[in-house]
Amino acid sequence: MDIISTPAPTRPLIGISGRRLRAAAMGAPHGFADAPLEAYLSEYATSVLGAGGLPVHLPMDAAPAELVERLDGVVIVGGDDVDPRRYGQAPGPFTALVDPQRDEFESGLIQAAIDGGVPLLGVCRGAQLLNVVRGGTLHQHLAHGEGESHGSYAYPRAHRVHEVRIAPGSVTHALYGETTRVNSFHHQAVDVPGRGIVVTGWAPDGVVEAIELEGLPVVGVQWHPETFDADPIFGWLVAQAAARATLSAAPETQNVA
């Protein structure tokens, strides 16, 4: 009798966005200092790996929809300010450097993930951009020293600065419980929620710390979970991505049979 072995499950493929820099940032020799450089913080990739996923960097020159079509999950990472013109405002006196190319690329990734039902995690800027893509707005600047100081860089990356209160019945509540403590490296935050965006986490001063998209596996968090060891949000993303990959593969298996 022939024994048919069941193949080991394939790790779900999780795309991670990054940023466009110049090679001078890594000390490139003269003549290459202006060469374009794709970069992302490696803690995102190690967090995905630790949760059982297979991370892949998403280059900015590719078409977002074509990338997402090949992926099982997406992470939109932190970074500089979202261009205020994307939510109907003008840059203010505290607006940091904006990157229109990155805004356009990551907005395309977010929209493609939503359209395709691909699990998505937005981190810090990624959560803010998710809200903007859905037609929401942002607080352009949270002043230091008023309530919780959301932009303080006085602490190590993984230091949990303040508490977040979490809405019952939400994905974040299932992962963290009624409250969790987080780090804080941002001077902007969600203001008016966009279409289908539900606020599920708040800082003690009322600043939005977590959002979800109704009916889809889409979550945004204002803190940086990649700095923590085995943060459960990455386990959630990989589990959702694996479940979607299994469902997508089922029709192909039936056709082969």
Side-chain angles (χ1 to χ4, degrees):
M1 178 184 295
D2 293 334
I3 298 176
I4 301 176
S5 60
T6 302
T10 303
R11 285 174 175 249
L13 191 65
I14 309 295
I16 302 173
S17 69
R19 65 197 74 193
R20 178 63 57 84
L21 302 174
R22 295 296 173 186
M26 58 177 286
H30 180 69
F32 287 88
D34 64 341
L37 179 72
E38 293 274 2
Y40 72 93
L41 301 180
S42 62
E43 286 170 325
Y44 292 102
T46 54
S47 294
V48 167
L49 279 169
L54 187 64
V56 59
H57 173 64
L58 304 179
M60 249 186 238
D61 293 311
E66 290 183 10
L67 289 171
V68 173
E69 187 178 4
R70 302 291 186 92
L71 299 172
D72 302 311
V74 177
V75 179
I76 306 296
V77 305
D80 292 324
D81 293 354
V82 176
D83 186 352
R85 299 191 189 280
R86 285 191 166 265
Y87 49 95
Q89 299 180 20
F94 297 100
T95 302
L97 181 68
V98 297
D99 185 345
Q101 181 187 12
R102 182 180 179 187
D103 285 345
E104 184 70 17
F105 175 67
E106 291 184 330
S107 293
L109 292 175
I110 291 170
Q111 190 60 58
I114 291 171
D115 291 344
V118 176
L120 173 76
L121 170 63
V123 174
C124 197
R125 166 196 155 89
Q128 296 165 10
L129 186 59
L130 165 62
N131 189 57
V132 170
V133 167
R134 298 298 293 176
T137 64
L138 304 179
H139 287 292
Q140 283 206 42
H141 183 64
L142 301 171
H144 292 189
E146 295 182 6
E148 287 291 346
S149 184
H150 293 277
S152 175
Y153 288 80
Y155 298 96
R157 293 192 315 283
H159 184 75
R160 297 180 183 269
V161 179
H162 67 75
E163 190 171 86
V164 170
R165 175 174 54 89
I166 300 175
S170 63
V171 170
T172 42
H173 188 275
L175 296 174
Y176 300 103
E178 293 183 359
T179 62
T180 188
R181 293 189 65 81
V182 302
N183 52 18
S184 192
F185 298 103
H186 64 102
H187 81 113
Q188 298 190 319
V190 168
D191 184 9
V192 178
R195 298 180 306 278
I197 294 292
V198 179
V199 177
T200 60
W202 302 264
D205 57 5
V207 167
V208 172
E209 288 280 344
I211 59 175
E212 299 175 16
L213 183 57
E214 286 182 312
L216 288 173
V218 175
V219 173
V221 295
Q222 188 57 70
W223 63 91
H224 281 264
E226 77 279 3
T227 68
F228 303 137
D229 183 35
D231 190 279
I233 196 70
F234 289 100
W236 168 84
L237 177 68
V238 170
Q240 292 290 320
R244 183 182 183 278
T246 299
L247 287 175
S248 299
E252 296 180 8
T253 304
Q254 291 172 1
N255 290 335
V256 171

